[in-house]
Amino acid sequence: MDNVVEEMGMNMGQTTGMDTKRWVVDPNQPPAVLRQAVQEAAQLLQQGEVVAFPTETVYGLGANCFSSEAVRKIFAAKGRPSDNPLIVHIADEAWLEDLVSDVPEAARRLMAAFWPGPLTLILPSNGRVAPEVTGGLSTVAVRMPDHPVAQALIAACGFPLAAPSANRSGRPSPTQAEHVLDDLAGRIAGVVDGGPVSIGTESTVVDVCGSNPAILRPGGITREELEAVLQQPVETVKADAALAIEPTAVAGRDTTAAGDGPADSEASYVPRSPGMKYTHYAPRGEMWLVCGTPEAMRQRIVQEATARLREGKRVGILTTEEGIGAYRQQLAGQPVILLACGRRREPASVARELYGCLRQFDAAGAGVIYAEAIPEEGIGAAVMNRLVKASGGRLLQA
Ligand code: TXA
Ligand code: MG
């Protein structure tokens, strides 16, 4: 069975023709090599350029958060709608003073437990970051990444880095430098290549401004972990609900989409987490999320795949190491793009490999993709959140 897919250049749209530097920083290299790469990258950031760098979650595309001109280059390189705000990355908790007007008690406890790490906190802004960072909101998203290269780079800059994931808008987040270059070569000043990331799914975004902390985006820190520290239930705001809340008037704010995302016509309503109103990543093929017991899912997927193959479609199947044998057997000889994404019994491994697999389906030209659901426990909740979004709500109950 042919389950090997070709890697293709995925560079979309026109580049600016910029020479994109790549610094490879292997942990086995002498520290001087890392120092020099970090210094060169920091110098470009100090000159107002944008540079991609590894974090423990996904690669970020950084710029000086206090410079409108620099931050605008992020939106231009990504083709990102200008009203979708960015996370500000700090190297030291003391830097919060430059960013926020208050640190609520819940935030203090979460910072003590999870920073540095994959947790982003929504805090009241003191208005000093460039307005492009917050997209007109009165809050600012802050995180301290737990990655030696990210920490060294931010410290060398001497200012916090506003950084979204380093992908073109609408593409899966990058989990290795190659993904960054596929999307952004020729559009950014450089990428610090620290190898594959360890978590592979974005940080958990928690709003600590209200009376009850709420998860705006599930991610690397699980709801269970947050509840254990806060000693209270923590709700996860559903994407639909997030669209309807916070009727904050932001008079005169330019809400025109800057890139390939949809324009926002509701100028007077700010979603609680603006990222939620955009379909983030949608595969080029039609993706279906299949739920049920492992046996039922596999039976249904084999059925569906067989029917689609007969229609002449190029079919992709997203399973795990536990499931791949069953498909190999039942679809033997069929030209299916079959990918094992980690191990079902170890959801962290699924999180780590998910975005790479989604990129492979696009590269292989899958016309229709069937993805197995995984249990929504721990980081499985973040994986399912991304799969539901990628499938645009196309669910099959097996
Ligand atoms: O793991 C991560 O969080 C990665 C790495 C690079 O740190 N970054 C990342 O950034 O995923 P981005 O831009 O792809 O996602 C930021 C999310 C969006 O959903 C955005 O709407 C939300 O954070 N966000 C940013 N500022 C916000 C604010 N003030 N209020 C509510 N949501 C906010
Ligand atoms: Mg992103």
Side-chain angles (χ1 to χ4, degrees):
M1 146 146 300
D2 174 20
N3 64 343
V4 180
V5 294
E6 293 168 25
E7 282 290 355
M8 302 202 270
M10 299 298 289
N11 207 338
M12 305 194 307
Q14 295 219 306
T15 71
T16 58
M18 183 183 265
D19 179 30
T20 301
K21 280 206 77 161
R22 178 186 196 163
W23 301 270
V24 179
V25 293
D26 187 323
N28 302 316
Q29 282 172 328
V33 178
L34 171 64
R35 257 200 311 278
Q36 188 178 344
V38 163
Q39 253 156 33
E40 284 179 28
Q43 207 166 40
L44 285 170
L45 286 158
Q46 283 160 349
Q47 289 161 7
E49 295 300 331
V50 296
V51 172
F53 60 96
T55 81
E56 74 279 29
T57 57
V58 299
Y59 273 73
L61 182 60
N64 181 350
C65 75
F66 298 121
S67 161
S68 286
E69 204 190 327
V71 172
R72 280 196 212 118
K73 290 183 187 171
I74 292 179
F75 290 94
K78 282 186 59 106
R80 179 174 170 117
S82 62
D83 59 341
N84 191 2
L86 309 178
I87 297 171
V88 175
H89 297 67
I90 59 176
D92 191 310
E93 249 174 63
W95 289 17
L96 273 178
E97 254 178 63
D98 299 330
L99 300 169
V100 308
S101 58
D102 179 37
V103 182
E105 177 55 27
R108 283 190 197 287
R109 287 162 60 185
L110 293 175
M111 281 158 42
F114 302 116
W115 276 10
L119 175 71
T120 295
L121 296 173
I122 305 299
L123 294 162
S125 169
N126 66 8
R128 285 196 50 206
V129 292
E132 290 81 0
V133 172
T134 57
L137 295 171
S138 58
T139 52
V140 61
V142 188
R143 134 168 151 84
M144 192 194 305
D146 185 19
H147 191 292
V149 173
Q151 287 176 355
L153 182 64
I154 300 164
C157 286
F159 45 73
L161 292 177
S165 49
N167 50 282
R168 282 282 286 172
S169 200
R171 298 269 292 145
S173 295
T175 52
Q176 53 189 71
E178 209 56 56
H179 298 160
V180 176
L181 290 167
D182 282 345
D183 283 9
L184 299 174
R187 297 179 155 270
I188 61 175
V191 55
V192 187
D193 179 353
V197 302
S198 59
I199 295 179
T201 301
E202 299 88 342
S203 63
T204 305
V205 178
V206 178
D207 185 349
V208 280
C209 293
S211 44
N212 290 311
I215 298 172
L216 303 187
R217 179 180 72 181
I221 300 289
T222 66
R223 181 170 58 80
E224 295 87 333
E225 290 174 302
L226 296 169
E227 289 178 341
V229 168
L230 294 172
Q231 295 286 299
Q232 70 176 95
V234 178
E235 67 155 331
T236 303
V237 177
K238 292 278 176 239
D240 297 353
L243 297 184
I245 41 187
E246 240 196 55
T248 314
V250 274
R253 186 167 63 95
D254 177 13
T255 53
T256 316
D260 54 5
D264 172 12
S265 55
E266 298 165 287
S268 58
Y269 284 86
V270 180
R272 194 153 165 194
S273 187
M276 289 180 175
K277 78 184 155 169
Y278 298 107
T279 331
H280 265 258
Y281 160 76
R284 303 213 170 106
E286 183 180 287
M287 182 156 160
W288 291 86
L289 179 57
V290 184
C291 308
T293 63
E295 293 70 32
M297 284 191 300
R298 282 159 206 162
Q299 205 180 349
R300 180 71 187 266
I301 290 176
V302 167
Q303 245 171 39
E304 297 285 339
T306 308
R308 297 295 90 69
L309 284 164
R310 260 192 229 117
E311 293 164 7
K313 294 227 167 84
R314 198 151 163 70
V315 178
I317 297 176
L318 186 70
T319 179
T320 54
E321 283 174 26
E322 289 96 328
I324 198 160
Y327 295 105
R328 281 209 178 109
Q329 207 171 40
Q330 296 182 56
L331 293 168
Q334 302 287 339
V336 175
I337 307 151
L338 183 55
L339 298 179
C341 181
R343 291 161 296 286
R344 187 178 171 80
R345 63 179 173 279
E346 196 194 324
S349 68
V350 181
R352 190 156 51 236
E353 292 178 29
L354 179 65
Y355 287 136
C357 286
L358 296 178
R359 279 177 181 260
Q360 279 187 288
F361 283 127
D362 278 350
V368 57
I369 301 158
Y370 294 96
E372 289 181 5
I374 67 163
E376 282 190 70
E377 286 147 26
I379 198 167
V383 170
M384 285 296 285
N385 169 275
R386 306 312 188 266
L387 285 175
V388 167
K389 278 188 181 165
S391 59
R394 280 183 290 264
L395 299 185
L396 289 177
Q397 184 63 49

